[in-house]
Structure formats: structure tokens, C-alpha cells
């Protein structure tokens, strides 16, 4: 994978509207711009609910206390899984993060992380984007696994440090209000 995969730091993120499944089990159509009124959003693209690598990824975010302790920066997942599967995934892992459904991968396409695995199956590259209130990408991590870019797991500690640096250590915690 090349460094050009995905939106670049400094790019403006297109506003999108998608079905967002909340940890309560409720879901509704929510534009990204609505989430950004509460502060920066850390969008995490992943392949599908219940795949082993995705379970590991979300357990790392859940178990890294800094990501779950406040509402200063919202952690939000995006995958092609549907709302009912998202509900089961949230319950199974006891996640405190909402998850967007992206069945046609339009959100992944808007972020430049849609691809075909082995030129066959469309999916999103495992990736993470910090988006500020002006819809500007402030940080990104995109998988560069040599065989399948949906296989890497985001380096949670590295993301934590990068986000703190981007926010000038003024916002100390992550979570969803």
C-alpha cells in the first residue's frame, strides 16, 4: 500500500449521513457534522463485525482506558456490517462506542479507503482518522499489511500519543458523550 491511500492530513472530510448504532442499541441516521458539534471524532474503519482481527481491534480500544473515559473526543467505528449485527457486536464486546453501518462502502470510498481484497471482495482498509470540528483530517493511520490491508490492527498506543499531540494535550480523554 502506498502512503497516498486515504485522505491526507489537512484534507477536508466530506460530510456524510449514515445509520449510527449506539451502545444503547438505538440507531438513527446521523450526519458526521452532527457528531462534530460535540468535538473531534476518531473514525475507525474496520472490515466486519466478529472477524477475529476486528474483535481484537475493538477490544484494544475498549481496554485502553484513555479512549473510554470522557467525551472530549468521540471514538466511532465504520464497517459494512448492518445495524442488527452492530448491536450484537456492541453487546458481545461491551463496547461504549457507536458504529456506523456502511453496507455499500460509500463512507469508505469518501475517505479513500475502499478496496478489493485479492481483486474480489470489496471492503474498507483498516484505518483511523482524527477529524476536527472543521472536518479537517488531523491524524491518520492506514494499514499497509503486505497481503491484506484489512489485517493490521491500529497501534492504539501510537494513536493515543498522536491524538494528544494534535490536540496540544488540552483534551485529555476519549469517549462518546
Amino acid at each position: 500500500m502506498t502512503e497516498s491511500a486515504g485522505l491526507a492530513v489537512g484534507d477536508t472530510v466530506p460530510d456524510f449521513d449514515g445509520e449510527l448504532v449506539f451502545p444503547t442499541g438505538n440507531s438513527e441516521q446521523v450526519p458526521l457534522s452532527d457528531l462534530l458539534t460535540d468535538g473531534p471524532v476518531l473514525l475507525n474503519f474496520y472490515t466486519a463485525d466478529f472477524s477475529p482481527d476486528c474483535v481484537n481491534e475493538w477490544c484494544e480500544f475498549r481496554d485502553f482506558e484513555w479512549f473510554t473515559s470522557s467525551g472530549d473526543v468521540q471514538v466511532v467505528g465504520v464497517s459494512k456490517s448492518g445495524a442488527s449485527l452492530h448491536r450484537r457486536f456492541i453487546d458481545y464486546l461491551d463496547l461504549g462506542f457507536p458504529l456506523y453501518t456502511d453496507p455499500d462502502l460509500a463512507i469508505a470510498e469518501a475517505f479513500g479507503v475502499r478496496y478489493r481484497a485479492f481483486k474480489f471482495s470489496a471492503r474498507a482498509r483498516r484505518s483511523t482518522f482524527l477529524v476536527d470540528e472543521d472536518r479537517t483530517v488531523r491524524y491518520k493511520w492506514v494499514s499497509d499489511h503486505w497481503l491484506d490491508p484489512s489485517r493490521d490492527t491500529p497501534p492504539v498506543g501510537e494513536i493515543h500519543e498522536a491524538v494528544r499531540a494534535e490536540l496540544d494535550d488540552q483534551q485529555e480523554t476519549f469517549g462518546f458523550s
Side-chain angles (χ1 to χ4, degrees):
M1 185 192 84
T2 65
E3 185 61 32
S4 65
L7 294 175
V9 171
D11 284 352
T12 299
V13 172
D15 196 14
F16 63 83
D17 187 281
E19 184 175 7
L20 188 63
V21 179
F22 294 92
T24 61
N26 297 333
S27 66
E28 62 185 77
Q29 290 294 120
V30 177
L32 175 62
S33 55
D34 283 3
L35 293 179
L36 292 171
T37 61
D38 292 331
V41 172
L42 188 72
L43 282 173
N44 295 288
F45 288 87
Y46 65 105
T47 309
D49 296 337
F50 293 102
S51 70
D53 294 330
C54 297
V55 168
N56 289 342
E57 173 182 355
W58 284 103
C59 285
E60 283 189 44
F61 275 106
R62 179 199 65 203
D63 296 344
F64 198 103
E65 185 178 327
W66 192 78
F67 289 101
T68 59
S69 57
S70 175
D72 292 334
V73 177
Q74 302 170 71
V75 176
V76 179
V78 184
S79 84
K80 66 186 212 174
S81 297
S84 63
L85 196 56
H86 276 346
R87 284 184 193 94
R88 290 194 303 264
F89 190 63
I90 288 168
D91 287 345
Y92 178 73
L93 295 178
D94 193 27
L95 296 179
F97 310 115
L99 307 174
Y100 271 114
T101 65
D102 190 20
D104 60 359
L105 297 170
I107 300 170
E109 181 74 30
F111 277 76
V113 294
R114 183 179 192 261
Y115 83 105
R116 290 200 171 276
F118 309 110
K119 300 185 189 236
F120 178 69
S121 176
R123 48 176 78 165
R125 279 183 199 277
R126 196 172 305 272
S127 49
T128 300
F129 295 87
L130 176 65
V131 181
D132 70 15
E133 297 89 338
D134 295 323
R135 293 194 351 252
T136 301
V137 175
R138 300 275 303 274
Y139 167 83
K140 84 171 194 176
W141 173 87
V142 179
S143 170
D144 63 356
H145 190 277
W146 68 274
L147 179 62
D148 181 1
S150 66
R151 300 285 312 217
D152 282 338
T153 300
V156 176
E158 175 186 308
I159 292 169
H160 165 254
E161 292 303 318
V163 171
R164 286 190 65 183
E166 278 302 312
L167 299 177
D168 297 322
D169 290 340
Q170 293 175 14
Q171 293 175 315
E172 292 290 325
T173 56
F174 271 67
F176 190 80
S177 51

